[in-house]
Amino acid sequence: MESATGLLLYATAVLTLGGIYAILALGLNIQWGFTGLFNLGIAGFFAVGAYSSAILTARPSPEHFGGFGLPMPLGLLAAALLAGLLAWPIGRLTLRLKADYLAIATIGIAEILRLVLKNEQGLTNGAVGISHIPRPFESLPRPYDELAFLGMVAGIVLVLYWALERARRAPWGRIMRAIRDNEASAEAAGKNAMAFKLEAFVFGSMIMGLGGGVYAHYVKFISPEAFEPLMSTFIVWVMLVAGGSGNNRGAIAGALAIWAIWSMTEILTSQLSADWTTRAAYLRVFLIGLFLQIILQRAPHGMFREVPPPPPEPSSPRQPESRSADT
Amino acid sequence: MLDFVNFYLIPGIVIGSIYTLGAIGISLIFSILRIAHLAHGDLIALGAYFALFGVVELGWSPYMALPLAMILTAATSIGMDRLCYRPLRRMRTVMVIIASFGVALMLRSAIMLIWGPGTEVYQSGIQRPMIWAGLRLQEKHLFIVGAAVVLVALLHLFLTRTTTGKAMRAVSDDPDLARVCGIRTEAVIRAMWGVAGCLCAAAGVFLGLDTQLNPLMGFSLLLPMFAAAILGGIGKPYGAIVGGMVIGIAEEVSTYPLFGDPLVSPTYKAAIAFTLMVLMLLWRPTGLFKGRVL
Amino acid sequence: MLLEARDIHGGYGGDDVLRGVSLGVDPDQIVVIVGPNGAGKSTAMKALFGLLRVRAGSVHFDGADITRLPPEEMAPLGFAYVPQERNVFPNLTVEENLEMGAIRRPDRKRAGIERVYGLFPPLRERRQAPAGVLSGGQRQMLAVGRALMLEPRILMLDEPTAGLAPVVIDQMFDLIQEIHGSGVGILMVEQNARQALEIATHGYVLVGGANRFQGTGRELLDDEDVLRSFLGG
C-alpha cells in the first residue's frame, strides 16, 4: 500500500513537471516551430512569469515586494502578460535582423534578469527567493491534492494544444510558415513579416510566462537558481527538437519523454554514493548535450514530423505550401 | 586621476584584451561559417583548464603552459567541428547554432567532471606590482596585454601573408567562388578552428591569470564577447579589437565613483555589455565597421 | 571530346530545370550556348562544374566520369569556370584574387600572374586595390584572369559580356579569341548570341532546358528557325 501510493505520487510529480515543460515547449513551438524565431532565453520569460505570479499571490512579507494574496488565476494572467511585455521590446529590436541576434539578445536578457532577481532584495528577496506561494487544491488529502493539480496542468496543456492547433490550421499559421520558410516571398506577397514575427514571439513568450506561473504554484518556493539556462532553456530546446519542431503533439510528447528520462536518470544516480552522485550530475548534463547532437544528426525532424494542414478551399487566398526543411 | 588609471582604466584594458581575443575568434568563425558560435566561451574555459593541467601536473608556469593549452584547444576545436558541426554543414545554420549550445554544455560539464566545480588559480600568493611613474603595473597584466598585441599582429600576418590565411579571407568573401578556384573549403575550415582554438586558449589563460578559474568562467564571457563582436561589426575580426576594448574599459570604468558612489553597481557590470550591444543594434546594427547583418 | 555532357537532367531541388542537355567541347573549339531566358544555359554550366546536383546523365572530362566530383576538384583537371555574378573576391586585392586562382598550382603562380598582367595591363596598375572597387569591365578582366591562372584546358564563361559597354564587349570577344589561340577550349553562354556565334566554331541552342538546335556557328547564324525563335541581337 505504501509503495503503491509512493509510486503514484512519483508518477504524478513526473507528469506534472512534464506538463509544465510541455507548456514551455508549446510556447517555443510557436516561436521556433511555426515562425523560425530563435529564442535562447526561455529562462527569462519563465522566470518573469514565476516571479510575477508569486509576488501577486503570496502572503505579504517584509522580505519582498508584493504579497498581495491575490487569487491564482490573476497571478497566472499577470504572469503571461508581464512575460509578453518583456518580449515586445526585445522582439522589436532584433526580429528585423538575422536569427543569431535574437539568440544572443535573448541569452543576454535571461542572464540580466537573473542578475536582477538575485540582487534586487527589495523586489524579489534576492538569492533567498520567495516562499509560501499558495497552491490550489492544497487542502485536499494526499494523493488527491497532487492529482488535482496534475489535472489542472493537463487541462491547461489540452486547452493550449487545441488553441494552437486551430491557429496552425488558420491563415495565421500559414502565414507564419510562409514567413519562416521564405520571408522574402512572403513580404513580396504583401505580408508584414515583422508584425507577424513579433506576434508569434510575444504569444510564445506569454505562454512561457504562464508556464512559469504554474511552476511557481506547484513548487511553492522559487529562487533565481531555478531559472538557470540548463533546466529552463536548453532542456526545452532538446524537448522540442526531439519531439518534432513545428508539431504541437511533438512538443508535448518531447517534453514528457525527455522529462521522464531525465527524472529516471536522477533516480539511478541518487542510488550511487555521495561522491559519485555529484559527478553523475555533471555526467547527465554531458549526456543530454550529447543526446542533442545525436538527434540533430540522426533525427532532426524529431518524433513527430511537421504535417502541413490541407490546402485551403479555393475561395480563400492560396498560400504556397512549404515543406518542413532543414536543408 | 592616478587612481582612475590604476584601478579602472588599466584593469579595463586588461579585460578588454581578453574580450578582444574572444571576439576576434567569434567574428572569424562567423565570417566563414556564418554562425554565432555559442560554445566559444566554454572553449575559452577549456583552454584555461588545459593550461591548469600543465601548471599542476607538469609543474610549469602558466606562461609556459600557454603553448600547450593552445595545441590542445586547437585540437579539441577541430575535433568538435568534425564530430558535431560538420555533419550539419548542409542544414540551415540555426541547427549548427543549436548544436553549439549543446557543445557548450558538454564542454562545461566535462570540465566539472575532470576538475570539479570549485575555483582554481594558477599561482597562489599575492604578486607585488611594479610602480613606474605612479602607475601600478602587475607583471601578469603586462604579459596579457603584450601577448594579446603579439597574437593580433600574428593573426594579421597570417591572414595577409600566408596562402591559407588568404584562402580563409576568400572563403569568407564567397565560399562558392572559393570552391570554383579549387580551394578546399573543409581544409580552410579546419585551419580556422585551429586558429580560433589558439585564440581561445590564450583568452582563457589570460583570464585565469587575471582572476581565477572556475567551470562557469566561459559562460560569463559569452555576452561581453558577442557584444564586442557586434559592436565592431560581426564578421569583421579587426572591428572586434575596437569592440573588445570598448566593452572592457566601459565595464571597469562604469564602477568608478565619479560622484561618490560607483556610477554602476558592480553587480550589474554584466549588464554594461548587454546595454552597449542593445544601443549598437538600435543605432547601427552593422556595427562600427559595417559587418554583416542579414 | 575533352569535356562532354551526356543527357543531363537536374536542377535546384524540386523540379528539374535541365531535361536532357548534351554537349561537348574540345581544346580547338569555341563552343557557344545560346537560347531564350530561362532556357537553363547558366544552370547547365553549373551542372557541368559540380555546383548543382545532376539527377540523371553524366559529365566526362578527358574520359573520366566527373559527374559526382565536387567543384574544388575541377581545378586540378584543368577545367576553369567564370561565373556571371560574384566572380571576384571583393575584399581581396587584385593580386590576391589571382593568387587564389593558382592555389592548386602554387609553382605556376608567379608566371601566371605575369601572363594575366600581360593580357590585361590595367590590372597590373591596380594590383593592390581591393577587387570590390574595380569598374565592371576591370572586374570582368580580373574574373577571367583568375580562371586563366590555372592554365586550363577548358575555360567556361557565363555571359562574359553582361553589363559591359559596347566597346568593351568587342574587346572581350577579341580577348576570348586570343585566349583560345593559346590552346584553350572555350565554352561560353552568351546573350549577345549573334556576336558570339560569329566567333564560335560550334553552337548549341537550348530551349526549355533541353537541346533544340546545334551546328557550327555559321550554320546556326544562317538557320531561319534559329533566327526566328530568338536571335534578336
Side-chain angles (χ1 to χ4, degrees):
Chain A
M1 192 60 209
E2 259 298 311
S3 55
T5 327
L7 205 58
L8 177 66
L9 285 174
Y10 178 71
T12 312
V14 171
L15 283 173
T16 308
L17 268 171
I20 291 174
Y21 274 111
I23 297 175
L24 295 179
L26 284 171
L28 183 62
N29 198 27
I30 300 182
Q31 298 174 338
W32 169 249
F34 284 16
T35 323
L37 304 178
F38 203 9
N39 182 359
L40 290 182
I42 302 173
F45 305 107
F46 187 43
V48 164
Y51 269 87
S52 304
S53 198
I55 286 175
L56 284 180
T57 60
R59 295 194 309 246
S61 159
E63 297 174 340
H64 61 85
F65 173 71
F68 300 120
L70 294 175
M72 189 192 72
L74 273 175
L76 292 182
L77 185 64
L81 286 175
L82 286 171
L85 209 61
L86 177 69
W88 198 82
I90 302 175
R92 281 237 55 204
L93 179 63
T94 56
L95 285 177
R96 56 205 163 97
L97 307 170
K98 212 168 179 293
D100 311 39
Y101 289 88
L102 183 68
I104 297 163
T106 45
I107 290 179
I109 266 284
E111 282 310 295
I112 306 276
L113 213 69
R114 263 202 326 140
L115 261 183
V116 169
L117 293 174
K118 246 196 273 209
N119 289 292
E120 292 308 311
Q121 301 283 124
L123 184 64
T124 63
N125 201 18
V128 176
I130 298 183
S131 33
H132 307 300
I133 305 172
R135 190 212 272 220
F137 316 119
E138 264 184 303
S139 42
L140 296 175
R142 283 244 156 140
Y144 299 105
D145 59 342
E146 303 278 329
L147 286 172
F149 196 92
L150 173 60
M152 180 186 87
V153 172
I156 293 177
V157 171
L158 286 172
V159 167
L160 280 174
Y161 176 74
W162 175 82
L164 294 178
E165 278 295 291
R166 293 212 52 193
R168 188 175 69 86
R169 283 182 240 265
W172 190 83
R174 283 172 213 295
I175 296 174
M176 291 303 174
R177 260 193 318 283
I179 291 174
R180 178 196 69 193
D181 291 335
N182 194 335
E183 186 163 333
S185 53
E187 285 258 316
K191 305 296 170 193
N192 183 350
M194 180 65 184
F196 279 102
K197 291 200 306 196
L198 195 55
E199 263 179 43
F201 188 61
V202 170
F203 278 138
S205 300
M206 286 173 71
I207 292 178
M208 292 172 183
L210 175 67
V214 176
Y215 175 78
H217 292 286
Y218 180 56
V219 294
K220 297 172 56 72
F221 160 71
I222 54 174
S223 75
E225 283 320 298
F227 304 104
E228 52 89 34
L230 171 64
M231 294 308 287
S232 327
T233 300
F234 184 67
I235 199 172
V236 182
W237 271 96
V238 178
M239 288 167 173
L240 186 60
V241 173
S245 54
N247 186 309
N248 289 316
R249 221 173 310 171
I252 299 174
L256 292 172
I258 299 291
W259 185 247
I261 297 175
W262 186 258
S263 306
M264 288 198 283
T265 56
E266 179 149 35
I267 293 196
L268 287 175
T269 59
S270 65
Q271 307 292 349
L272 305 167
S273 67
D275 186 48
W276 275 103
T277 308
T278 35
R279 291 201 112 94
Y282 311 136
L283 188 61
R284 285 165 74 215
V285 175
F286 184 85
L287 288 175
I288 199 175
L290 184 62
F291 182 63
L292 178 65
Q293 310 304 322
I294 296 175
I295 303 182
L296 286 172
Q297 293 184 22
R298 293 306 165 92
H301 294 289
M303 289 191 267
F304 291 91
R305 289 185 87 115
E306 178 184 341
V307 179
E313 307 301 294
S315 55
S316 28
R318 285 210 110 245
Q319 291 285 351
E321 278 312 332
S322 47
R323 275 161 277 140
S324 154
D326 283 337
T327 48
Chain B
M1 183 59 200
L2 215 49
D3 263 6
F4 174 75
V5 171
N6 280 329
F7 296 111
Y8 296 90
L9 188 59
I10 290 182
I13 294 175
V14 172
I15 193 77
S17 307
I18 295 171
Y19 289 159
T20 294
L21 290 175
I24 291 180
I26 287 177
S27 258
L28 195 62
I29 294 170
F30 186 88
S31 75
I32 293 183
L33 291 179
R34 302 282 187 271
I35 58 160
H37 187 224
L38 298 178
H40 210 74
D42 295 284
L43 207 57
I44 289 177
L46 190 66
Y49 275 87
F50 277 142
L52 186 71
F53 168 77
V55 168
V56 170
E57 303 295 326
L58 303 173
W60 294 353
S61 79
Y63 306 119
M64 266 171 62
L66 177 58
L68 173 69
M70 284 184 165
I71 294 172
L72 291 174
T73 314
T76 309
S77 309
I78 293 173
M80 164 191 82
D81 175 69
R82 179 74 185 75
L83 291 172
C84 300
Y85 302 149
R86 199 172 95 169
L88 305 176
R89 209 79 91 198
R90 294 189 177 283
M91 294 189 188
R92 292 183 294 184
T93 55
V94 281
M95 308 304 276
V96 183
I97 304 176
I98 296 173
S100 74
F101 201 13
V103 169
L105 276 164
M106 286 167 71
L107 290 173
R108 211 176 306 163
S109 49
I111 290 174
M112 288 206 247
L113 267 170
I114 301 175
W115 281 281
T119 53
E120 310 270 354
V121 285
Y122 288 128
Q123 292 158 334
S124 42
I126 315 279
Q127 283 112 19
R128 306 246 341 260
M130 309 176 287
I131 312 280
W132 189 76
L135 293 175
R136 298 177 54 130
L137 302 166
Q138 293 197 38
E139 177 190 288
K140 61 183 187 180
H141 288 162
L142 286 175
F143 175 74
I144 291 173
V145 179
V149 170
V150 168
L151 283 171
V152 171
L154 283 176
L155 179 67
H156 175 77
L157 286 175
F158 173 73
L159 289 175
T160 52
R161 299 289 179 87
T162 68
T163 310
T164 312
K166 293 180 202 179
M168 260 196 228
R169 286 162 53 216
V171 172
S172 147
D173 256 8
D174 194 332
D176 283 329
L177 184 63
R179 299 178 79 193
V180 164
C181 290
I183 295 175
R184 278 177 292 224
T185 42
E186 278 303 318
V188 169
I189 291 174
R190 252 198 314 274
M192 177 206 82
W193 283 113
V195 169
C198 288
L199 290 172
C200 282
V205 172
F206 295 167
L207 186 62
L209 270 173
D210 188 33
T211 56
Q212 60 195 28
L213 292 93
N214 73 74
L216 293 175
M217 65 195 283
F219 183 65
S220 67
L221 283 176
L222 205 63
L223 202 51
M225 285 192 308
F226 268 101
I230 288 173
L231 222 66
I234 203 155
K236 296 268 166 191
Y238 300 111
I241 299 173
V242 174
M245 297 311 287
V246 167
I247 300 270
I249 294 175
E251 268 190 9
E252 290 300 318
V253 167
S254 72
T255 60
Y256 183 60
L258 190 59
F259 306 112
D261 282 329
L263 290 167
V264 173
S265 154
T267 35
Y268 285 115
K269 241 198 238 181
I272 298 281
F274 183 72
T275 311
L276 286 172
M277 183 182 83
V278 165
L279 288 175
M280 184 55 82
L281 286 177
L282 275 171
W283 170 51
R284 198 159 131 158
T286 48
L288 291 167
F289 293 89
K290 291 209 164 66
R292 285 168 220 271
V293 164
L294 295 165
Chain C
M1 298 258 128
L2 182 56
L3 171 67
E4 201 181 339
R6 298 177 195 160
D7 197 33
I8 303 289
H9 293 256
Y12 297 99
D15 297 324
D16 280 350
V17 173
L18 305 172
R19 297 156 197 217
V21 172
S22 301
L23 51 91
V25 189
D26 266 329
D28 58 355
Q29 293 178 326
I30 295 181
V31 176
V32 172
I33 305 177
V34 295
N37 280 328
K41 314 189 289 291
S42 292
T43 313
M45 289 206 149
K46 293 191 180 134
L48 287 168
F49 211 73
L51 284 165
L52 58 92
R53 229 184 131 252
V54 170
R55 207 183 42 76
S58 58
V59 184
H60 299 256
F61 196 93
D62 210 359
D65 186 329
I66 63 166
T67 322
R68 300 270 168 252
L69 212 57
E72 54 262 34
E73 296 307 320
M74 301 300 179
L77 297 174
F79 186 12
Y81 170 44
V82 182
Q84 180 185 356
E85 288 168 332
R86 297 176 51 207
N87 48 23
V88 298
F89 297 110
N91 287 303
L92 269 59
T93 64
V94 165
E95 186 143 318
E96 285 172 338
N97 266 271
L98 295 178
E99 284 181 46
M100 290 300 104
I103 201 166
R104 297 295 279 265
R105 304 278 314 270
D107 51 316
R108 305 297 300 154
K109 186 168 71 172
R110 206 61 252 166
I113 290 182
E114 285 308 311
R115 237 181 76 220
V116 171
Y117 288 154
L119 266 177
F120 305 109
L123 288 182
R124 189 197 293 275
E125 283 159 32
R126 313 216 60 192
R127 63 204 294 184
Q128 300 297 349
V133 306
L134 295 178
S135 70
Q138 289 170 335
R139 217 186 282 214
Q140 206 58 13
M141 282 191 235
L142 178 59
V144 175
R146 188 274 309 157
L148 291 176
M149 292 291 294
L150 279 168
E151 294 177 17
R153 295 192 280 168
I154 301 279
L155 175 64
M156 259 194 340
L157 301 160
D158 192 349
E159 305 217 16
T161 66
L164 298 181
V167 149
V168 188
I169 292 178
D170 288 336
Q171 286 174 352
M172 183 57 83
F173 279 119
D174 287 339
L175 207 60
I176 290 172
Q177 288 186 290
E178 189 178 338
I179 294 170
H180 173 64
S182 61
V184 182
I186 307 276
L187 177 61
M188 187 165 72
V189 163
E190 254 303 330
Q191 276 299 102
N192 280 312
R194 197 177 280 279
Q195 243 180 318
L197 285 173
E198 294 205 345
I199 66 167
T201 54
H202 270 80
Y204 294 88
V205 182
L206 293 188
V207 181
N211 291 48
R212 182 68 84 78
F213 305 105
Q214 64 186 64
T216 66
R218 196 71 255 163
E219 283 168 5
L220 290 175
L221 277 171
D222 291 339
D223 188 319
E224 281 289 319
D225 292 323
V226 170
L227 286 170
R228 196 178 359 104
S229 63
F230 71 99
L231 265 190

